[in-house]
Amino acid sequence: MSLPDAPPIVAILRGVKPDEIVEIAGALVDAGIGYIEIPLNSPEPLVSIGKLCEAYGDKALCGAGTVLTPQAVDDVAAVGGKLIVTPNIDADVISRAVELGLTVMPGFSTPTEAFVAVKAGAKALKLYPAGSFGPGHLKAVRDVLPKDIAIYAVGGVGAANLKPWLDIGVAGIGVGGELYRPGYTAAEVGERARALVAAWTAQTAG
C-alpha cells in the first residue's frame, strides 16, 4: 500500500457530503495526501465515493471506511473504490476485498485478531483505536507478525504525537478529526493537511 511522493497518511472524511467531496478531496491531494477514505456511515457515502474516485482516483487511493459486510465491499467496488478500511476483523470482508483486488486495511487490537486478518489475506492492518493502546502495545504485536505486514496507527494519532509511533516502526497513520469534521471548509482542510504532511516529513527526514 504505497504511492509515489505521498506520505502514508490516510485521510478519514467521516460525515462528508456529496456536494463537498470533490472540493475537500482536491484540497487534500494538493496538500500531498494520497489516501482518502469515506466512512460508510457518512451521508450518501456511495455517491461521495463515486464522485471522489471519478475526480481523484488517478491521483489518490480512494475508497471507504467502516466497511462491515462483503456486500458493502461489492458496493464500494461498483462505484470505483479501491480502498477498503474496516474498524474490526471480519474474515469474509477481508477475503472479498482481496478477491476483488482491492487494498484492504482491517482494524485490529489483539495479536489474535491480527493473525486472523493476515490469514484472510490482509497485507496492511490498522491498530484501532491506537490512542487507547499506545505505541508499546503495537511494538509488542509487531514483534510476532510477519515483517511484510504494514501496520497503520489510527485513532488518536496526529501531528502532535507522531514520534513515538514512528519510533516503533508504524508504516503510516490514519487521521480523521484533525483533518476534517463536518463544517470545515476546503481551505481549512487544506491548511490542516499541509501541517500534517509537514510534521510527517519533518519527523521522517534523514
Side-chain angles (χ1 to χ4, degrees):
M1 181 176 170
S2 62
L3 292 173
D5 304 322
I9 298 170
V10 181
I12 303 165
L13 304 182
R14 191 177 307 279
V16 73
K17 296 178 180 179
D19 63 358
E20 63 181 345
I21 181 57
V22 173
E23 189 177 9
I24 295 289
L28 289 168
V29 171
D30 288 346
I33 299 290
Y35 307 85
I36 303 172
E37 70 161 270
I38 298 173
L40 291 182
N41 57 358
S42 301
E44 298 182 272
L46 294 173
V47 176
S48 291
I49 293 167
K51 289 186 173 187
L52 170 65
C53 294
E54 182 178 359
Y56 291 105
D58 61 338
K59 297 180 176 66
L61 184 61
C62 303
T66 317
V67 180
L68 301 177
T69 66
Q71 181 61 55
V73 175
D74 291 347
D75 293 342
V76 172
V79 296
K82 304 295 185 186
L83 174 65
I84 299 293
V85 184
T86 78
N88 63 331
I89 299 301
D90 186 313
D92 292 338
V93 170
I94 297 167
S95 60
R96 182 56 177 161
V98 171
E99 181 182 352
L100 293 178
L102 309 179
T103 295
V104 60
M105 185 192 295
F108 79 98
S109 59
T110 68
T112 297
E113 292 175 339
F115 277 107
V116 169
V118 170
K119 185 176 181 180
K123 300 298 184 185
L125 305 175
K126 76 171 190 180
L127 176 64
Y128 178 79
S132 299
F133 292 98
H137 176 82
L138 183 52
K139 183 179 185 301
V141 176
R142 283 189 70 252
D143 287 344
V144 299
L145 286 175
K147 301 304 181 187
D148 62 340
I149 299 299
I151 303 183
Y152 283 62
V154 182
V157 182
N161 63 345
L162 275 176
K163 190 175 189 307
W165 296 99
L166 292 171
D167 286 346
I168 58 97
V170 295
I173 61 173
V175 180
E178 184 174 326
L179 284 176
Y180 173 83
R181 292 184 186 275
Y184 284 4
T185 66
E188 289 173 318
V189 171
E191 183 178 354
R192 289 169 174 272
R194 286 189 293 275
L196 181 58
V197 169
W200 179 278
T201 302
Q203 291 287 349
T204 56

